[in-house]
Amino acid sequence: MHIIRALLPGLFNKGVNYLFPPVCGNCDCAIWDNAGICPNCWKDLTFISGACCKLCGYPFELSHGDDLVCGECLKSPKKFDQCRAALVYDVFSKDMIIGFKHADKTYLRALFTQWLSLCGQDIINEADFIIPIPLHRRRLLKRRYNQAGLLAQGVARLHHKKYTPDLLLRTKNTSSQGQFSMSGRWRNVRNAFVLNSKFKDEIYGKHIVLIDDVYTTGATLDSCARTLKNAGASTVSAVVLARVTKE
C-alpha cells in the first residue's frame, strides 16, 4: 500500500504530461519533462562562467587573475558592491526572459532559480536579506506579478534566507527602461526607490542581496543600492538572471 501511494503522484504527473505536454519556455515546442527548455534552445544559451569583472560581473574572454575590473566600473563605479549574472542576454535568451516577464510563463521560475543559485551562490550564502527590485504599485496591478519577486522568493527558499519583498518601495512610476538611452536610464530611476520605514532599524550593517531579471546598464541596481547604503546597509550585492554584453 505504501509503495502504491508513493507511486501515485509520479503516475499522475506522467498522465498530465502525456495529455498536456509541457512546452519549451523559449520556442513553445512540446517537451516530455518539466525542464523548462528543449535541448535545441538549451544549446544556444550562453552561460557566464569563468573570468569576469569582480564588481559588475561583466564576462571577460581571457582570464588574467581574480581581481579584474572592467573599464565601465573603473570609469563609473557603482554603489552596489558586486553583481553576478547567470547568462548573456541575447537573441537566444531574450524571448524566454520576456515571456517570463510579460507572458505569464511563470513556470520557468524553478529553472531560473536554479541558475541564479549556481551563479550567485557565494553572494547569496552571505545574505541577511534577499529582496527583489520592486515594481511600482500601478505597474504591479497591470502585470499582476513582479518577475523579480518570483525569482527572489525562489532563491530565498532554496537557500533558507529571509525574503523581504517590501523592504524597498518604488515611489516613482518610472517608464520602461527599454525606451531610453544609457544616460536616460540613469535619469529615469534616479530617486525612484525609498526604504520601507518599518525596516529602518533592521538593515544597519546588513548584507542585502538584490534579485532582478536583466542587467543592462546597472542603473536600477545602482539606484536601489544607493538607497540601501544611505539607510545603513553595509553591503549591497546583486544576482541577476541575464545581462547585456557589448559585442
Side-chain angles (χ1 to χ4, degrees):
M1 183 62 70
H2 292 296
I3 295 176
I4 294 175
R5 287 178 179 175
L7 289 174
L8 281 176
L11 293 172
F12 176 77
N13 289 336
K14 288 182 179 179
V16 171
N17 287 345
Y18 179 79
L19 294 173
F20 306 100
V23 296
C24 173
N26 194 38
C27 69
D28 292 329
C29 73
I31 54 180
W32 289 105
D33 55 39
N34 290 312
I37 302 177
C38 71
N40 285 333
C41 290
W42 179 279
K43 66 179 177 59
D44 289 328
L45 297 176
T46 302
F47 289 90
I48 297 174
S49 60
C52 66
C53 173
K54 71 173 185 177
L55 300 180
C56 76
Y58 189 91
F60 296 132
E61 291 185 3
L62 300 175
S63 175
H64 298 285
D66 296 329
D67 294 323
L68 299 176
V69 178
C70 71
E72 181 63 28
C73 285
L74 288 172
K75 181 177 69 174
S76 304
K78 310 295 190 297
K79 293 300 291 185
F80 53 86
D81 295 275
Q82 58 181 328
C83 177
R84 294 295 178 267
L87 68 158
V88 171
Y89 187 77
D90 56 19
V91 294
F92 301 110
S93 62
K94 179 180 178 180
D95 289 344
M96 173 181 63
I97 295 171
I98 289 177
F100 173 71
K101 185 173 183 176
H102 294 294
D104 294 329
K105 293 186 177 182
T106 55
Y107 59 88
L108 287 168
R109 176 173 70 164
L111 181 64
F112 290 169
T113 296
Q114 293 289 337
W115 292 350
L116 288 165
S117 176
L118 288 172
C119 79
Q121 184 172 1
D122 292 342
I123 292 174
I124 297 165
N125 285 341
E126 299 299 321
D128 293 303
F129 294 91
I130 302 287
I131 71 170
I133 300 297
L135 284 178
H136 190 271
R137 59 183 180 276
R138 292 181 184 173
R139 185 77 60 84
L140 184 59
L141 285 172
K142 182 179 180 180
R143 194 181 295 174
R144 304 187 311 282
Y145 64 93
N146 179 2
Q147 77 284 351
L150 294 179
L151 296 174
Q153 185 181 43
V155 168
R157 285 177 177 172
L158 195 61
H159 289 263
H160 307 288
K161 295 293 183 177
K162 188 172 184 178
Y163 170 61
T164 314
D166 57 342
L167 192 148
L168 270 184
L169 304 175
R170 194 169 198 141
T171 57
K172 182 180 176 183
N173 190 19
T174 55
S175 301
S176 174
Q177 288 282 74
Q179 63 183 291
F180 292 103
S181 64
M182 181 176 292
S183 60
R185 290 170 184 264
W186 288 84
R187 290 192 299 270
N188 187 44
V189 294
R190 187 176 298 152
N191 301 320
F193 306 95
V194 298
L195 179 74
N196 189 330
S197 59
K198 70 181 182 180
F199 296 106
K200 64 180 181 180
D201 297 325
E202 295 187 36
I203 71 164
Y204 184 81
K206 301 298 185 181
H207 181 188
I208 299 172
V209 173
L210 296 160
I211 303 292
D212 203 7
D213 54 349
V214 179
Y215 180 117
T216 304
T217 63
T220 302
L221 293 176
D222 184 88
S223 184
C224 289
R226 186 180 302 274
T227 299
L228 293 167
K229 289 283 187 72
N230 289 341
S234 64
T235 307
V236 179
S237 304
V239 182
V240 300
L241 180 60
R243 66 161 301 148
V244 173
T245 60
K246 300 182 181 68
E247 292 295 336

